[in-house]
Amino acid sequence: MKRIDVTEESYNEVTNTLATIAKPFHVRKGEYLQHAGVPATQVHWLASGVVRAGFFNREGVEITLRFYREGESATTLTDLINGESGQPAVQFLVAETPIHGFTLDWKAASALRAENEVMQSYHLNIAVAGLQSLAQRAYTNGETSAQERLAAFREEYPGLEARISQRAIASYLGITPQYMSRLRREAEAATGEPRQP
C-alpha cells in the first residue's frame, strides 16, 4: 500500500471487488505466465514467488526489464491494452521461483474498474508508480557503472538476489553472468562478507 500510496480502505475495496473474478493459479519455476508473440489477456496477482518480465531484442538476446514479487501484479500493461485488439505481447513473464497467486481476466477487470471510482484511482496510482520505476531504471542504466547498477538492484529489490538465478540478475543489469560473478567476488573481497548463494 505504501509503495503505490493507497489507503487500507481503498486496498480492501479493490481486493474485495476483484475477488469476484479471481481464479487461483500455480506454476513451477521456469514456466511462462505470458508469452511474447501471443496476445496478453490475464493479470497475474502473486501471493508467493518471483516473476521476471522481459523481451527479446532484434538479435534474439533476452533483456530483463523488472521483477515482480509477492503482493504485486505481474502485468505488462501495454501488452494487455494491445491484447484487447488481438495484438501480440512484446514482453514475456516467466516464473523465477514457484508461483502461487490469482489470475484475473483483463477485460472483466477493466469492466469492474469502469464502474468503480475507487478502483480507477487505485489503478492510476499503480500506473504512476510503474512509470516512476521505469524512469528510475532508465537513469540507472544510462548513467552508472555495472557496480552501481548492482547496488541499485539490491536497493530496489532487497533480498531478491538470494532467491533468483545469477543469470536473471545479469540479464537485468545488462552484463554477462561471468561478469556478474566477478562483481560479486569483488564485493565479497571489499566487504569481507561471504557471497550470497
Side-chain angles (χ1 to χ4, degrees):
M1 290 183 295
K2 287 181 181 178
R3 184 180 58 82
I4 59 171
D5 192 27
V6 296
T7 65
E8 186 174 350
E9 294 78 17
S10 295
Y11 178 84
N12 289 337
E13 180 173 338
V14 169
T15 300
N16 291 335
T17 301
L18 292 175
T20 62
I21 61 168
K23 296 179 181 175
F25 83 101
H26 311 284
V27 297
R28 293 182 298 239
K29 177 180 177 177
E31 289 185 21
Y32 283 83
L33 288 73
Q34 176 177 302
H35 290 273
V38 177
T41 61
Q42 302 291 312
V43 175
H44 303 83
W45 187 84
L46 308 180
S48 67
V50 179
V51 169
R52 180 169 58 94
F55 69 98
F56 294 95
N57 70 14
R58 288 187 178 128
E59 287 79 39
V61 176
E62 189 176 282
I63 307 295
T64 296
L65 296 174
R66 67 161 296 160
F67 298 94
Y68 296 96
R69 296 159 292 174
E70 295 83 0
E72 295 182 316
S73 291
T75 303
T76 60
L77 183 58
T78 53
D79 285 331
L80 286 168
I81 292 169
N82 290 336
E84 291 176 357
S85 60
Q87 295 178 54
V90 173
Q91 295 182 46
F92 62 79
L93 296 170
V94 64
E96 284 296 314
T97 67
I99 303 291
H100 299 282
F102 297 90
T103 58
L104 302 103
D105 178 80
W106 171 250
K107 286 185 180 178
S110 296
L112 290 172
R113 184 176 60 246
E115 300 170 358
N116 187 312
E117 288 184 23
V118 172
M119 278 185 73
Q120 292 168 20
S121 175
Y122 181 89
H123 284 117
L124 178 61
N125 283 17
I126 290 174
V128 168
L131 288 172
Q132 290 171 331
S133 176
L134 283 174
Q136 184 57 50
R137 174 127 167 81
Y139 298 140
T140 300
N141 279 351
E143 300 181 350
T144 61
S145 68
Q147 291 92 341
E148 290 168 323
R149 291 196 304 275
L150 178 58
F153 165 82
R154 288 173 172 164
E155 187 176 316
E156 183 176 358
Y157 298 108
L160 189 59
E161 190 172 354
R163 299 177 64 192
I164 62 176
S165 72
Q166 184 169 293
R167 180 185 147 294
I169 299 168
S171 173
Y172 178 79
L173 299 177
I175 60 176
T176 65
Q178 295 79 7
Y179 189 49
M180 178 68 195
S181 292
R182 180 177 151 198
L183 288 178
R184 292 173 89 179
R185 283 193 305 271
E186 288 172 359
E188 179 183 345
T191 64
E193 294 178 11
R195 199 167 55 154
Q196 293 182 359

